[in-house]
Amino acid sequence: MLESFRDSCRFRQYMPSKPAKYGMKLFSLVDTMMFYTKKLEIYAGKQPEGPYFQDTSTNALVKKMIEPISSTGRNVTMDNWFTSVPLAEQLLTDHNLTVVGTMRKNKPEIPNEFKRKGLKVYSTVFGYKQKETLLSYCPKKDKTVLLLSTMHNDGVIYETSEKNFQKSLNFIIKRKEE
């Protein structure tokens, strides 16, 4: 998230797509059942080489953030900036954590059948690989949403969850278009 901040600071970020264009970029690990922030990191930009160097790659950041919940069998819900198949596999095998998250279409591990446009509206395509499930959903014409899960391993869509899913996706798409 971007916490609004207009003063001068070396690691102040500019994000034109956010309501507050300038601020501090924060990453947080939040327990959604207890509404409790377990860990919070400030993004300080790309780090120079030296004795205080910190790896700011998405994989390193996720591994640092999940330290308090490693090996607890919980689920981690991620943004599309973090979600990738190798990271999901690693969290499942090394840390006993499942992952659910939307994915960007530019990831090399995504088959072309899941990225293609022209799918029928409200159509869903499932793909399975060992313990991962990849879902491609078309909420409107020429719009595809990709979802990766290591928590779910069947292609069953219940009528009530399909309606809730459609409402959630419409909300997400609407927010991204604004």
Side-chain angles (χ1 to χ4, degrees):
M1 76 179 167
L2 188 74
E3 189 62 39
S4 180
F5 183 77
R6 295 285 283 176
D7 210 349
S8 64
C9 178
R10 281 189 131 148
F11 48 90
R12 183 182 69 173
Q13 299 287 310
Y14 172 68
M15 295 181 166
S17 63
K18 298 286 184 184
K21 309 250 183 270
Y22 291 92
M24 305 267 184
K25 192 174 186 180
L26 302 173
F27 302 108
S28 60
L29 176 67
V30 179
D31 185 335
T32 58
M33 298 296 282
M34 302 297 288
F35 303 109
Y36 183 77
T37 302
K38 292 191 176 286
K39 192 160 186 173
L40 191 72
E41 285 277 330
I42 296 175
Y43 178 68
K46 187 171 178 173
Q47 301 292 300
E49 293 294 328
Y52 302 109
F53 174 77
Q54 291 284 319
D55 186 3
T56 57
S57 69
T58 56
N59 285 1
L61 180 64
V62 169
K63 288 174 192 166
K64 190 183 336 179
M65 295 298 289
I66 59 116
E67 284 173 358
I69 62 167
S70 183
S71 301
T72 59
R74 295 183 183 195
N75 179 61
V76 179
T77 304
M78 295 186 197
D79 184 90
N80 66 13
W81 195 62
F82 299 101
T83 310
S84 70
V85 173
L87 180 62
E89 288 173 349
Q90 196 169 30
L91 290 181
L92 187 62
T93 56
D94 298 347
H95 300 280
N96 190 27
L97 297 171
T98 59
V99 171
V100 173
T102 56
M103 287 186 75
R104 294 184 177 183
K105 294 173 193 70
N106 64 352
K107 303 284 184 180
E109 58 268 13
I110 299 173
N112 290 331
E113 297 83 36
F114 288 83
K115 298 185 222 178
R116 67 186 166 107
K117 290 185 178 181
L119 291 173
K120 194 170 136 184
V121 176
Y122 303 125
S123 65
T124 308
V125 178
F126 288 93
Y128 304 97
K129 178 187 169 197
Q130 297 165 350
K131 297 191 179 199
E132 297 99 34
T133 301
L134 182 63
L135 173 119
S136 176
Y137 178 71
C138 182
K140 58 168 102 170
K141 186 178 180 189
D142 293 332
K143 182 74 177 171
T144 306
V145 179
L146 297 173
L147 185 88
L148 176 70
S149 174
T150 57
M151 182 180 184
H152 307 92
N153 54 11
D154 60 3
V156 177
I157 300 175
Y158 299 101
E159 190 175 322
T160 55
S161 62
E162 186 174 5
K163 289 175 186 172
N164 292 339
F165 183 63
Q166 180 60 40
K167 287 178 189 175
S168 298
L169 280 177
N170 286 338
F171 178 75
I172 291 168
I173 292 167
K174 190 176 187 182
R175 299 267 303 174
K176 285 187 177 182
E177 289 174 351
E178 292 174 354

